[in-house]
Amino acid sequence: ARILHRLGIDSPLAFYQTSQEKLFRHLQHWGKIWYLRLHGFEVDDFSSATQSLGHSFVLPPGYRTEAGAKKVIVKLASKVGYRLRKGKWKARGLTLAIRFLGEGGARRYLTSNPFSDSHTIIRLALLLLGQIHFPRPPLAIYLVAFKLTRGKVQLPLFPEVRKLTALAAAVDKINDKYGPETIYYGPTEADPDI
């Protein structure tokens, strides 16, 4: 109230008539929020639908090779899978993007049956990696799951798919209890640099 009084805002009408720029300059984020509220915008209960979920990583110099990129992709795929499962999401698409040292990059994507287990994400990510030509050393890697769905999904017909889902749940349970990367996928070798 003291700040508003110092700004010459002594009534609701004066508050309403104050510019968004002035409120933002003196009250930062909350000034903008109050301006929008007073002018009829719904800002309190706004929520956006999650449409994609991903991770990225800038490679340290020792990992700027195809083999280093592969290790990082396996780690990113594990993280994406964990976040999908924790949010009770299934994805129907996966994008792999690589930015190369200097200029340029490559991006590949695919769509699939719904997935959230890390094994499937790793398999799909490595399939995409196989489609990318490396003209220069890789600098950064981006792995994004998209076409997210929540809710009931048809149970898998084949037992190997059910096993992968159960395996992912067991790994998550152990890692949640004993700490991240208590159990990890072999190619990452629990490397602290990635």
Side-chain angles (χ1 to χ4, degrees):
R2 283 180 273 150
I3 294 173
L4 294 177
H5 183 71
R6 269 194 315 241
L7 295 174
I9 301 172
D10 295 324
S11 70
L13 182 59
F15 199 10
Y16 176 81
Q17 291 174 338
T18 305
S19 73
Q20 182 178 1
E21 293 79 22
K22 183 175 181 179
L23 289 174
F24 182 75
R25 185 172 48 249
H26 294 283
L27 300 173
Q28 285 80 40
H29 172 72
W30 292 109
K32 179 180 178 183
I33 294 295
W34 272 106
Y35 177 87
L36 293 171
R37 283 179 184 153
L38 290 170
H39 289 84
F41 293 95
E42 297 290 332
V43 293
D44 294 314
D45 294 329
F46 177 77
S47 63
S48 64
T50 302
Q51 297 179 6
S52 63
L53 186 150
H55 277 279
S56 62
F57 189 78
V58 175
L59 298 163
Y63 284 87
R64 293 179 182 166
T65 64
E66 286 187 53
K70 184 176 179 179
K71 280 185 174 187
V72 169
I73 288 168
V74 169
K75 182 98 164 214
L76 293 177
S78 299
K79 289 182 174 187
V80 167
Y82 179 80
R83 287 182 59 201
L84 285 171
R85 293 185 297 278
K86 284 298 162 193
K88 299 186 182 344
W89 294 104
K90 294 273 187 183
R92 294 183 54 88
L94 192 67
T95 297
L96 173 66
I98 299 177
R99 192 174 49 163
F100 298 109
L101 203 56
E103 289 183 8
R107 182 169 50 111
R108 300 291 183 270
Y109 70 93
L110 56 76
T111 56
S112 171
N113 292 324
F115 57 86
S116 66
D117 66 279
S118 296
H119 180 81
T120 300
I121 298 169
I122 290 168
R123 182 178 54 78
L124 295 174
L126 294 178
L127 179 72
L128 293 171
L129 177 65
Q131 299 172 9
I132 295 176
H133 168 69
F134 283 71
R136 287 179 296 289
L139 178 63
I141 298 176
Y142 309 86
L143 188 65
V144 179
F146 63 95
K147 289 191 175 183
L148 302 184
T149 58
R150 243 189 200 144
K152 300 200 185 285
V153 176
Q154 181 178 340
L155 291 175
L157 178 62
F158 300 105
E160 55 270 7
V161 177
R162 287 194 299 270
K163 286 180 187 176
L164 291 174
T165 303
L167 174 64
V171 168
D172 289 347
K173 188 174 181 179
I174 292 168
N175 285 338
D176 285 345
K177 184 173 182 174
Y178 297 103
E181 299 182 16
T182 300
I183 295 181
Y184 54 87
Y185 285 85
T188 61
E189 299 171 6
D191 194 325
D193 291 336
I194 56 172

